[in-house]
Amino acid sequence: MSLKELTKQNHSNAERSWFAGRMFSGQITNPEYAIYLKQQYESYSALESRFDSLENSDIKFPDERIKRSDNIFKDLIEMDPDGNSLPALKSTLGYCSYIQNCPDNLLYAHVYVRYLGDLKGGQMISKRVPGSGLYYQFDDPDVLEQAIRKELRDDEEFVEECKKCFTFATQSFEDIKVYIDKEL
């Protein structure tokens, strides 16, 4: 079975969340999208910083052009000039903490789930969310996809790490819904 097939249920769980449905519907508001972008910014910054800290390691980020945190931040500020003062929610803080202690050899599982998802599914989302959508704009997406795919594995440890990343994403969507219901 392929990695995609092995993680299909977890991917489907994330896609079926209320918040993912809201994004795909095209009815998401600027404040709703801003809180989502804040969570993404914190999560991607943590992952990218972790890779940057591995200077003397054989593990490198697949291609610097894949990195998203700067573009996510620009989108966040476009939605809400005070967006950087939005809270990082509990699930986001948990993910960021987890990434700091994630075994180096499993970090690519998070690249697979997050960045390959952005390269593929993000293209559908970008047409339905407010703003310029820099988050979902990539130069040479086919080349970048190959850079990610060449680092993938389908062993049990790697598959389980991918599933953890999907679980964190699903938890984030749940926290965002709670935040929206309470604050917006």
Side-chain angles (χ1 to χ4, degrees):
M1 261 195 215
S2 71
L3 185 56
K4 182 178 180 177
E5 292 168 324
L6 292 167
T7 59
K8 183 178 182 177
Q9 184 61 49
N10 302 81
H11 186 222
S12 293
N13 290 344
E15 282 183 327
R16 285 191 299 248
S17 72
W18 175 87
F19 189 77
R22 186 106 174 113
M23 281 197 303
F24 279 111
S25 76
Q27 297 177 359
I28 193 166
T29 66
N30 287 17
E32 291 170 345
Y33 191 49
I35 192 65
Y36 166 75
L37 288 170
K38 174 63 175 186
Q39 306 323 299
Q40 296 299 86
Y41 173 70
E42 295 295 334
S43 297
Y44 281 65
S45 292
L47 185 55
E48 291 168 9
S49 293
R50 178 66 197 288
F51 269 99
D52 290 345
S53 74
L54 301 174
E55 293 174 7
N56 299 323
S57 171
D58 291 337
I59 298 173
K60 304 283 184 223
F61 200 77
D63 187 311
E64 292 294 310
R65 297 174 299 165
I66 297 170
K67 289 186 176 181
R68 299 286 90 197
S69 63
D70 289 343
N71 286 351
I72 294 169
F73 187 76
K74 290 173 187 171
D75 284 349
L76 171 60
I77 298 307
E78 181 181 359
M79 292 298 102
D80 181 348
D82 293 326
N84 204 33
S85 65
L86 289 169
L89 303 176
K90 182 179 177 182
S91 57
T92 301
L93 295 172
Y95 179 76
C96 293
S97 176
Y98 179 81
I99 285 299
Q100 293 311 309
N101 299 304
C102 180
D104 296 353
N105 68 324
L106 296 177
L107 288 171
Y108 286 122
H110 297 267
V111 172
Y112 167 72
V113 171
R114 292 185 169 278
Y115 297 85
L116 194 57
D118 298 337
L119 276 164
K120 299 305 231 172
Q123 302 318 298
M124 292 182 289
I125 294 171
S126 70
K127 297 173 183 152
R128 295 176 171 96
V129 294
S132 57
L134 295 174
Y135 175 7
Y136 304 108
Q137 295 174 17
F138 292 88
D139 293 329
D140 297 322
D142 293 335
V143 171
L144 298 178
E145 179 179 350
Q146 290 308 311
I148 293 171
R149 288 195 183 280
K150 77 176 188 173
E151 301 297 339
L152 301 182
R153 308 186 328 247
D154 62 0
D155 61 80
E156 184 176 345
E157 184 181 40
F158 195 84
V159 170
E160 289 306 311
E161 193 66 23
C162 290
K163 290 178 179 180
K164 283 180 190 175
C165 188
F166 278 120
T167 298
F168 275 114
T170 302
Q171 290 171 342
S172 179
F173 288 157
E174 291 168 6
D175 278 2
I176 291 169
K177 178 164 183 355
V178 169
Y179 179 86
I180 288 169
D181 289 346
K182 186 176 160 185
E183 301 292 331
L184 300 180

